[in-house]
Amino acid sequence: MNEKLKQLEQKIAEAQLGGGQKRIDAQHKKGKLTARERIHFLMDEGTFEEIGMLVQHRSSDFGLDKERYLGDGVVTGYGHVNGRLTYVFSQDFTVFGGSLSETHAEKICKIMDLAMQNGAPVIGLNDSGGARIQEGVVSLGGYADIFYRNVRSSGVIPQLSAIMGPCAGGAVYSPAMTDFILMVENTSYMFVTGPNVVKTVTHEEVTSEELGGAITHATKSGVTHFACANEVETINYLKQLLSYMPQNCEEDAPAQSYTSDNETRTELNDIIPANANQPYDIREIIEKVIDTDTFLEVHKLFAENIVVGFARLAGRSIGIVANQPAVLAGVLDINSSTKAARFVRFCDSFNIPLLVFEDVPGFLPGTDQEWNAIITNGAKLLYAFSEATVPRITVITRKAYGGAYDVMNSKHIGADMNYAWPSAEIAVMGAKGAAEIIFKNEISTAKDKEGKWKEKETEYQSMFANPYRAAERGFIDEVIKPEDTRSKLIRAFKMLENKVDQLPKKKHGNIPL
Ligand code: HXC
């Protein structure tokens, strides 16, 4: 018996060594953790249970039969994150560069299937050279098996991807179909074709970091939602993100205990500048309305003219979408529309109520926007809000102009409660442009054209640049003092706690992609 136990212990030790100490040292030298170290930081201590530790690949082509490693380049299993069941796979770069073989893929699929059957999130820690080249089409098939499960799981359980090394070729499409991507600066990259292929085909010279590093994807493409300074920071973000989410689409996100206090925030009364064209940072409003230090901003460096993220209000998890007047005056454009639409759909999938702060002068004009389909892309946000059945509340802090008024969670597209601050301006367009169009004749025939224009602008402004016209029609439920925003929102979200709303029976809608 002792011999058998010894044999098992040897196997466990062998599996834990992955591709060997030399390769582990090389991994550390690059500033990277190993697959097991990552899991150690992610999971609550002592909770991780490994599945498939002794799996080996089956291939014998290209001499592979002489090189087999227990676990076959991926550590898979389950454990607790913040005390809640979570499934994880962590690719081991020390074994064939973390490349994906048939068996490696089977291990990941097993975890994904268990996660679906048991209604718990899956976290993928990606560090891989892609399809295991020696295995050919079976490794491609393995990827497709994973992609298929990514799509089946979408909207059922949260799926999070951390990119902690290479992620290239078709391999990028599994993370791309998960809910959130996090990347580590300087040690991870994602691209469909690498710098060498780029050079051959387009003659562009570009480094891996420039082409598909964390900052590139956080700022230019928006592929990653978080660019993290190092792996430990990445893992902490994963844990934080999960804390705002339910385990699956049939549950609510966990609430934290909250004791009611003085909810008045007088500082909010002075945030909107006297000059309507002066910017301010919407984050100041967000921070003052929500529970202290609970804002987790998503996609912070991408399309900064809109701010999205998770927060807590009276202990409950909410999703926030807010125009950002400090960047491009908070205008809606292609990137901000797609960024916000995706976030809205995530929150709606997982029963997270939505809070919208609105200060938007309209959609961004120009050939660049029109030719790149602001029509289709702007429609995504309109579609996402209209489709959402979670409790939805809007607070208009200042401008709500044109089509953007409709799009930003207006009453007309199903918002439950719509508040406006006294500084709100709700109209078809800004007063200057409106006066120029509707008083064209009067202005052009006036002696003092500039003076007339100014006079008409003021007339339009006093008639429409306020929240009262909308409130008269019931499009705004209440005009509130800024200082009361927090207490109003707490009560309204509580009132909406048991909201039931269902979409008409359909297979699925056809969001304009
Ligand atoms: C088999 C691989 C491998 C792969 C790396 N290795 N990638 N083995 N299949 N795809 C092995 C290497 O042979 C090496 O083994 C070890 O992993 C570490 O690799 P290095 O090259 O020494 O590491 P590094 O210098 O850090 O470079 C990492 C790398 C490079 C940039 C990822 O290995 C690389 O370019 N690999 C090939 C990438 C690739 O083209 N993959 C296929 C993409 S197509 P030893 O024994 O020396 O330690 C694809 C299609 C997916 O993935 C389609 C889905 C639809």
Side-chain angles (χ1 to χ4, degrees):
M1 184 62 182
N2 275 348
E3 265 315 299
K4 302 233 163 172
L5 271 180
K6 226 169 161 183
Q7 188 189 19
L8 173 61
E9 275 167 14
Q10 266 170 8
K11 279 196 180 288
I12 292 171
E14 189 187 330
Q16 285 178 339
L17 211 53
Q21 193 58 47
K22 250 170 83 177
R23 290 194 179 99
I24 291 176
D25 292 344
Q27 182 88 337
H28 285 156
K29 225 169 146 188
K30 288 183 200 161
K32 292 163 69 178
L33 297 171
T34 64
R36 285 174 191 282
E37 287 165 345
R38 289 166 183 156
I39 291 178
H40 169 78
F41 282 114
L42 176 69
M43 294 280 176
D44 299 346
E45 202 172 338
T47 64
F48 179 62
E49 294 290 342
E50 189 166 345
I51 297 176
M53 181 191 256
L54 305 182
V55 166
Q56 296 183 28
H57 72 73
R58 307 183 189 110
S59 181
S60 54
D61 292 332
F62 302 101
L64 271 186
D65 48 341
K66 294 189 195 68
E67 205 178 352
R68 292 186 204 275
Y69 298 92
L70 297 178
D72 200 27
V74 65
V75 182
T76 54
Y78 65 94
H80 284 175
V81 175
N82 307 323
R84 298 194 297 162
L85 176 65
T86 307
Y87 293 84
V88 66
F89 67 87
S90 179
Q91 291 180 311
D92 182 354
F93 193 81
T94 69
V95 175
F96 300 113
S99 58
L100 186 130
S101 65
E102 182 186 23
T103 39
H104 179 126
E106 282 170 1
K107 284 182 71 177
I108 294 176
C109 289
K110 190 188 264 187
I111 288 301
M112 295 177 82
D113 290 342
L114 280 168
M116 271 288 271
Q117 287 154 6
N118 295 284
V122 180
I123 293 183
L125 305 174
N126 296 261
D127 187 0
S128 166
R132 187 160 309 159
I133 295 164
Q134 299 91 325
E135 290 207 9
V137 71
V138 291
S139 65
L140 296 184
Y143 268 119
D145 291 337
I146 295 169
F147 300 157
Y148 182 68
R149 282 166 176 77
N150 284 133
V151 176
R152 290 264 150 163
S153 306
S154 183
V156 183
I157 50 172
Q159 302 179 80
L160 274 53
S161 301
I163 314 299
M164 301 185 133
C167 184
V172 296
Y173 288 112
S174 173
M177 286 190 294
T178 62
D179 298 302
F180 294 101
I181 299 182
L182 300 87
M183 290 183 75
V184 189
E185 286 172 36
N186 301 314
T187 49
S188 75
Y189 51 82
M190 295 177 81
F191 36 66
V192 174
T193 51
N196 291 343
V197 178
V198 169
K199 191 170 176 202
T200 312
V201 177
T202 70
H203 309 295
E204 288 169 288
E205 295 223 18
V206 65
T207 64
S208 290
E209 193 62 26
E210 286 164 347
L211 184 64
I215 294 297
T216 297
H217 283 313
T219 58
K220 291 186 199 302
S221 69
V223 164
T224 191
H225 299 85
F226 295 87
C228 309
N230 53 55
E231 295 194 17
V232 173
E233 187 179 297
T234 310
I235 291 167
N236 286 337
Y237 269 119
L238 285 169
K239 291 185 197 182
Q240 272 190 64
L241 267 171
L242 281 182
S243 74
Y244 291 95
M245 299 173 192
Q247 290 290 86
N248 57 62
C249 65
E250 291 185 21
E251 293 183 8
D252 287 329
Q256 289 186 350
S257 66
Y258 180 77
T259 332
S260 172
D261 199 354
N262 176 9
E263 313 292 7
T264 308
R265 299 287 181 269
T266 48
E267 320 88 275
L268 289 169
N269 292 336
D270 301 317
I271 284 188
I272 303 294
N275 177 349
N277 294 322
Q278 203 174 312
Y280 62 92
D281 189 344
I282 196 68
R283 290 191 195 94
E284 279 185 51
I285 293 181
I286 294 172
E287 294 287 357
K288 289 188 168 67
V289 168
I290 61 172
D291 300 353
T292 311
D293 293 334
T294 61
F295 189 47
L296 176 61
E297 190 169 346
V298 172
H299 251 152
K300 191 175 185 173
L301 303 176
F302 182 70
E304 293 172 75
N305 41 333
I306 207 155
V307 171
V308 304
F310 298 102
R312 289 206 167 78
L313 190 69
R316 290 199 59 196
S317 183
I318 55 169
I320 294 180
V321 178
N323 305 117
Q324 171 57 293
V327 179
L328 291 172
V331 77
L332 278 176
D333 59 3
I334 291 169
N335 287 347
S336 58
S337 299
T338 50
K339 165 178 164 178
R342 187 155 168 76
F343 185 73
V344 166
R345 297 191 97 214
F346 175 82
C347 290
D348 189 47
S349 300
F350 291 104
N351 312 318
I352 299 172
L354 285 161
L355 171 59
V356 173
F357 289 105
E358 178 171 2
D359 185 349
V360 58
F363 280 95
L364 183 63
T367 51
D368 176 65
Q369 289 290 306
E370 295 294 349
W371 294 348
N372 286 297
I374 181 63
I375 296 174
T376 311
N377 289 290
K380 286 177 184 154
L381 184 54
L382 181 55
Y383 191 108
F385 272 128
S386 302
E387 182 189 44
T389 55
V390 287
R392 293 195 258 144
I393 301 181
T394 301
V395 179
I396 302 177
T397 58
R398 193 167 60 178
K399 296 174 188 168
Y401 281 122
Y405 158 76
D406 283 344
V407 170
M408 288 301 294
N409 201 38
S410 64
K411 197 90 187 158
H412 320 271
I413 61 169
D416 299 293
M417 295 297 289
N418 293 63
Y419 297 109
W421 285 6
S423 48
E425 303 170 18
I426 306 170
V428 173
M429 62 197 298
K432 200 166 187 266
E436 189 185 12
I437 294 168
I438 59 177
F439 302 113
K440 191 174 162 192
N441 286 343
E442 274 179 76
I443 292 170
S444 64
T445 53
K447 267 198 191 130
D448 174 10
K449 292 187 179 45
E450 266 304 309
K452 195 68 177 173
W453 191 353
K454 193 89 218 135
E455 178 197 318
K456 291 295 175 190
E457 184 185 333
T458 311
E459 193 181 320
Y460 186 89
Q461 182 116 15
S462 59
M463 197 175 291
F464 288 114
N466 62 60
Y468 300 108
R469 285 282 170 132
E472 276 169 28
R473 305 302 296 258
F475 301 159
I476 295 297
D477 295 296
E478 195 178 349
V479 181
I480 59 172
K481 291 184 196 163
E483 65 180 28
D484 293 333
T485 309
R486 178 173 161 83
S487 61
K488 294 274 178 194
L489 290 173
I490 291 174
R491 285 183 200 175
F493 275 122
K494 179 91 189 135
M495 176 271 287
L496 295 165
E497 213 169 40
N498 298 319
K499 177 183 172 186
V500 178
D501 185 14
Q502 271 180 347
L503 297 175
K505 190 174 175 329
K506 59 174 115 174
K507 193 166 173 198
H508 59 71
N510 189 13
I511 188 165
L513 296 172

